[in-house]
């Protein structure tokens, strides 16, 4: 049997039919929406198939299980997140702003990640290795910035990374307060929420110079 990137995933070459690529793309897009809305346990393959305008049998031809489908979607979304939110250790306020922008533009991405954290002991598929490598790389960048005097060496790099990531996801993780802010904040705009997070990180980790 041909090998595939994720366990339980059938390669495109093993699927018959001239429209295999477009069908597969529709399945993945529908699965992303379904998992973000309902989580892994609550997701239903029949709904994914209906949304993708295909059959359950076709879904299982590409992905042998619902869990394998989630693993594929999670890996794609993790890769997109990593590529869209590169860390500049000399501009942590800017990094927080970039993360905020990403999750504001892609709220389903945040929900998808949170469902995986809640329901899985370990990240799905090869996502765990990708996340560990990304974290290790960012910690190395922070240590290098400390060694060259561009970042306060009094901070442990793991604390720096944890804090700035959590601050960046403040509003994505608290939708009830975000809803209240729309009507009760002094300046009820997304730009104001972003500016507050960037200003907070600027005070903690000011840009050099």
């Amino acid at each position: 049997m041909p090998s595939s990137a994720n366990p339980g995933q059938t390669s495109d070459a093993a699927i018959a039919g001239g429209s295999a690529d477009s069908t597969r793309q529709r399945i993945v897009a529908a699965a992303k929406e379904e998992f973000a809305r309902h989580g892994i346990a609550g997701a239903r393959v029949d709904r994914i198939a209906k949304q993708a305008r295909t059959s359950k049998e076709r879904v299982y031809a590409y992905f042998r299980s619902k869990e394998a489908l989630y693993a594929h979607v999670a890996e794609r979304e993790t890769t997109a997140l990593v590529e869209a939110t590169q860390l500049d250790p000399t501009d942590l306020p800017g990094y927080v702003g970039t993360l905020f922008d990403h999750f504001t533009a892609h709220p389903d991405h945040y929900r998808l990640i949170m469902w995986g954290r809640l329901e899985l002991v370990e990240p799905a598929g090869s996502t765990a290795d990708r996340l560990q490598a990304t974290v290790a790389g960012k910690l190395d960048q922070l240590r290098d910035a400390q060694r060259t005097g561009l970042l306060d060496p009094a901070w442990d790099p793991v604390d720096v990374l944890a804090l700035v990531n959590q601050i960046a996801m403040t509003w994505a993780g608290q939708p009830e307060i975000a809803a209240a802010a729309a009507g009760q904040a002094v300046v009820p705009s997304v730009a104001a929420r972003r500016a507050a997070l960037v200003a907070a990180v600027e005070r903690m980790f000011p840009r050099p110079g």
Side-chain angles (χ1 to χ4, degrees), residues 57-209:
E57 290 74 21
R58 179 63 92 180
V59 173
Y60 284 123
Y62 286 104
F63 303 96
R64 294 178 188 162
S65 68
K66 182 172 64 171
E67 291 72 21
L69 178 52
Y70 176 82
H72 176 75
V73 173
E75 184 175 352
R76 288 179 75 251
E77 293 305 298
T78 298
T79 297
L81 174 62
V82 170
E83 292 177 351
T85 58
Q86 298 293 315
L87 172 69
D88 179 353
T90 67
D91 185 12
L92 294 179
Y95 171 69
V96 166
T98 298
L99 279 172
F100 175 89
D101 291 341
H102 181 83
F103 286 116
T104 298
H106 307 283
D108 55 337
H109 191 164
Y110 179 83
R111 293 193 298 271
L112 187 77
I113 292 172
M114 290 302 104
W115 278 117
R117 288 178 176 174
L118 287 170
E119 297 190 52
L120 300 176
V121 176
E122 295 181 353
S126 61
T127 303
D129 293 338
R130 181 64 188 271
L131 289 173
Q132 290 173 1
T134 299
V135 169
K138 289 181 177 181
L139 291 176
D140 285 342
Q141 288 181 277
L142 293 170
R143 292 188 188 99
D144 287 343
Q146 289 178 323
R147 281 193 290 267
T148 56
L150 298 175
L151 181 65
D152 186 353
W155 289 89
D156 190 314
V158 296
D159 292 323
V160 175
L161 188 58
L163 285 167
V164 295
N165 281 348
Q166 191 62 42
I167 290 171
M169 292 185 287
T170 294
W171 293 105
Q174 301 185 84
E176 66 284 352
I177 301 181
Q184 300 186 42
V186 175
V187 182
S189 68
V190 173
R193 307 288 75 74
R194 183 187 193 278
L197 302 187
V198 171
V201 175
E202 177 68 37
R203 292 187 182 186
M204 296 172 68
F205 308 109
R207 298 177 178 92

